Amino acid sequence: MVTVTSLTTTDATRARMSRQRSKDTGVEVALRRVLHGMGLRYRVHRRPLKGVRREADVVFGPAKVAVYVDGCFWHGCPVHATWPKRNAEFWKTKIEGNRTRDADTDRRMAEAGWLVVRVWEHEDAAVAAARVRDAVIARRTAG
């Protein structure tokens, strides 16, 4: 089967994109390491909401805090996003679709009483972990 993307994307690009990890990326692992060092315990790669096929990278169940680590390219980071020139319409649609799904996830989670913390891949792990820790502590003391 030939797809539209295979007609306009180079072999090198396809090979590079296929090697991109979707779980346990370096950024995720670094964040989890700092969170664990802060004494926080969590679950990884869980779906916080039943019936919603969207997996959070780090989940603090009792506090109802879900952390998503977003890649700058894949989620259209306002600081580091790049727009490929090859197959531009495909990538624009893909990235904007990811952003739309992220906003829908945030809305659904909030409606179910969850707090979503989004971390960009370019963020310093210690700074992001402090933000997550503060959110978890605030939720624990509020409830």
Side-chain angles (χ1 to χ4, degrees):
M1 180 172 134
V2 177
T3 62
V4 173
T5 58
S6 66
L7 297 175
T8 56
T9 303
T10 66
D11 290 339
T13 300
R14 261 193 313 283
R16 185 175 65 251
M17 292 301 190
S18 72
R19 288 190 303 270
Q20 293 288 321
R21 295 180 69 116
S22 61
K23 290 183 178 183
D24 299 326
T25 64
V27 179
E28 284 181 37
V29 172
L31 176 66
R32 293 192 321 236
R33 188 174 291 127
V34 176
L35 290 169
H36 193 272
M38 292 175 164
L40 296 173
R41 299 301 177 258
Y42 47 82
R43 301 281 184 233
V44 297
H45 304 296
R46 301 290 171 122
R47 293 179 184 166
L49 298 180
K50 291 185 190 308
V52 179
R53 294 186 60 220
R54 296 177 189 160
E55 190 174 272
D57 298 307
V58 179
V59 177
F60 297 89
K64 287 194 166 186
V65 174
V67 181
Y68 293 85
V69 180
D70 294 337
C72 290
F73 174 77
W74 298 104
H75 296 268
C77 170
V79 177
H80 299 106
T82 57
W83 296 99
K85 290 179 180 47
R86 271 187 182 264
N87 211 359
E89 193 55 40
F90 168 82
W91 288 112
K92 181 178 186 249
T93 301
K94 171 69 175 155
I95 293 166
E96 287 178 353
N98 288 347
R99 291 169 121 177
T100 300
R101 187 188 64 240
D102 292 344
D104 181 61
T105 298
D106 293 353
R107 180 188 56 77
R108 287 175 182 231
M109 296 288 285
E111 288 172 355
W114 284 78
L115 174 67
V116 171
V117 178
R118 293 213 172 254
V119 175
W120 287 107
E121 73 175 319
H122 68 263
E123 288 186 67
D124 177 79
V127 173
R131 202 168 79 241
V132 171
R133 179 201 59 217
D134 293 348
V136 170
I137 290 170
R139 297 287 291 219
R140 285 178 178 166
T141 57

